[in-house]
Amino acid sequence: MRLTFYCLCLFTIPLFTYAQPSVTNRSSLEIRQIMQGEDFVGYLPESVRWGTDSRTIYFSWNPDGDTLRSDYRIRVGENRPVKVTDEELKAMPGRGSYNTDRDQMVYSRNGDLYWMETGTGKTRQLTNTVGYESSPEFSGDDQFIVYESDNNLFTWEIATGEITQLTNFIKGNKRSSRSSEGQKKWLEDQQMELFDVLRERKAVSDARRKRREQLEPDRPVEIYYGSKRIGGMTASPDLRYVAYRLTTTVDDKISEMPQYVTESGYAEMARTRPKVGDIQDSYDSYLYDRQRDTFYTIKTGEIPGIKEKPAYLFEYHEGEEEFEREYKNDRDVIVAGPYFSDNGQAVVVIRSLDNKDRWIMQLDLETGSLKLLDRQRDEAWVGGPGISGWNFSGGTIGWLPDNEHIYFQSEATGFSHLYLLNVKTGDKKALTNGKFEIISAQLSNDGSTFYIVSNAESPHEHHFYHLPAMGGKMQKITQSKGGHEVDISPDEKYLAIRFSTSNQPWELYVMENKAGAEMTRLTESTTEAFGTYDWRKPEIVRFRAADGAQVPARIYRPENPTPDGPAVIFVHGAGYLQNVHEWWSSYFREYMFHNILVDNGYTVLDIDYRASDGYGRDWRTAIYRHMGGKDLSDQVDGAKYLVDEWDVDADRIGIYGGSYGGFITLMALFNNPGTFKSGAALRSVTDWAHYNHGYTANILNTPTTDSIAYQRSSPINFAEGLEDQLLILHGMVDSNVQFQDVVRLAQRLIELGKDNWEFAVFPLESHGFVEPSSWTDEYKRIFRLFQETLK
């Protein structure tokens, strides 16, 4: 009866005004306001980059609220950004490649190549074609510009302007010679024996062909690559070798997504993606030796552990025979690189496609053979900052100027750190160590210093550091508490910084690239409406989980909370993402919504549950083979923490989140009935067997090889446990978590006879909503759910 009473009373008061405003400088917020996004908060500076003069900063901005963003610029020492004109924009160089002395740069724009003197800004257009030239860079001796066009590599000689084609890759298959056999051959031979004219004509024809071949200039060997896709072309510094990759694509069944609200008025179908476990593309990497005019495969068959099975397969072993720990065939791999030293040595990063292994190997360019330098194996999956889990990226890797040491990142200690390895001796040295992460690392122009972004100060702050290249102490350069996104000027004297705190959005700053320098603010981006509200700075706390782990969270608390008050737990998305931090959240709408909830008497807890970013390998992989395990129990333990420590009523706790957060919301309501009185699941995965391969296979392997993992990780299998109130919200043209996911769950709930759930659809929204009207409708429904069930 109490629930019914509160539901009826809610509609007698304004829905979005808070009942007990606690401070006078907090004006009443409306959901409609905050869901306007940038129109309410302000258009923050984005896409920051330096001009080649190392004094001009360019960025995307929209301080006047125009229809579109524009490019702005400001020079070091100035205090007012200026909008870039269309003429300037047309002439503006893109991100390019520098020569050794960094006094020249080459870049591509609109499919043409440009060369620039960085000191004077003098620019020369090198190509003007209807073709597409891209990826220009200088050769090792700075005499040539190497670029890609029409799936081949070319050089442009700076001194003469001569263009040379380095490769001759040809799609399709070479026509076989039409040499006759059998009866046809016998007839041709007879013709030559019988008729003098035919013999004479053939002799002339053969002589002409031979002379023509002798007079032809040298051309690169024809390399036919059939129906495969070519990519990853890289030339060695001396231009002798070209590495390339061939991809065998799979024409497998993919989902089709209906679109009902279209410009044509007809329902239309859109192709989306395959599902996890579908047959995947395969990759082969090659070297073309221009000097010998031959090509050969990079030999991955002898990689240590190439046949090693993952440990989870032992769980499925049956029979009395001993478990075979190796496959009969090599695992599929993908090669990133090569990465060349100045003197032409090469290393590659090789990743197994089951993502259990990453090898760093030295590549013998003359033979294609490999020598192991470092192996990182993870029975869960290889990942972490600077250690890419993406197919075509090698992560952080490069050479020091001594041509003996490579640097890379590894999780060998359980946290992603920076390492040096001597390729001659094999000696490996950790440059950083501790219970923190190196977020990114970049070698200085002279090779003496690493520029690092790290959370060494705290898991909740990102700062910029200097570190001597051969080892030493990290020197902290930025000082303000918050998040720093740093772009270094080409001459490395200045830093352009996007800085924010948890309650102040990103603004652009500039400072000298040295410790103790002042950080000068360059932009004012927030709107007057945004500034009228006193935005809360959530407190960062840790609570003890049932297994003893200390779980980080942000808590939003009313200034004068009611005893036994209501609470909401927010679950961030993406799985491997961080939201407990001291900078402006990518979930800024949710952050503002939490302020509204607090104004209405709620306590809000925002948890960096197991699998969140920033806390090391064990935290990252704690969900391996069981999504909805420790990541879910962290939410349940969070609810207990609210009751035990923050005077929250155990019967008045709600939960919500989007994407992965929606998945956790479903698992919470289905597997822990009574813990949460209600939950809102936004764009939620309901069955991991229907999600994509790249993300899901890392964590759960594949449905056919690890069915146990999918069974215990998919909400649709536990829908019979629903007892509390559920609100499902989903975009109908979601190409990421497809609408089919929630339709299948809806049918399951119908068949189970469940009554306490509702379903709201958004016909024109994909995974990330874009329309303010959709955002507003979605969060009005979420707010109403909590008001009806928790108040």
Side-chain angles (χ1 to χ4, degrees), residues 494-511:
Y494 292 95
L495 307 176
I497 301 173
R498 280 210 331 153
F499 172 76
S500 68
T501 65
S502 59
N503 67 344
Q504 291 296 318
W506 298 100
E507 297 287 1
L508 182 61
Y509 294 74
V510 67
M511 68 178 288

Side-chain angles (χ1 to χ4, degrees), residues 3 7 10 15 602 654-656 665 669 677-681 724-729 756 758 778-791:
L3 175 63
C7 287
L10 279 174
L15 187 57
Y602 293 85
I655 187 170
Y656 89 102
T665 298
L669 296 188
K677 197 72 173 178
S678 59
D724 305 292
Q725 193 69 35
L726 169 63
L727 172 62
I728 301 170
L729 308 109
N756 50 335
E758 294 182 356
E778 182 178 49
Y779 275 81
K780 282 169 59 178
R781 294 175 187 275
I782 296 168
F783 185 80
R784 183 180 296 115
L785 170 74
F786 292 147
Q787 289 285 78
E788 291 176 353
T789 58
L790 306 181
K791 296 294 286 287

Side-chain angles (χ1 to χ4, degrees), residues 538-556:
E539 179 185 355
I540 294 180
V541 297
R542 286 182 180 259
F543 62 86
R544 183 180 176 86
D547 64 356
Q550 291 293 315
V551 182
R554 298 204 298 187
I555 192 162
Y556 302 72

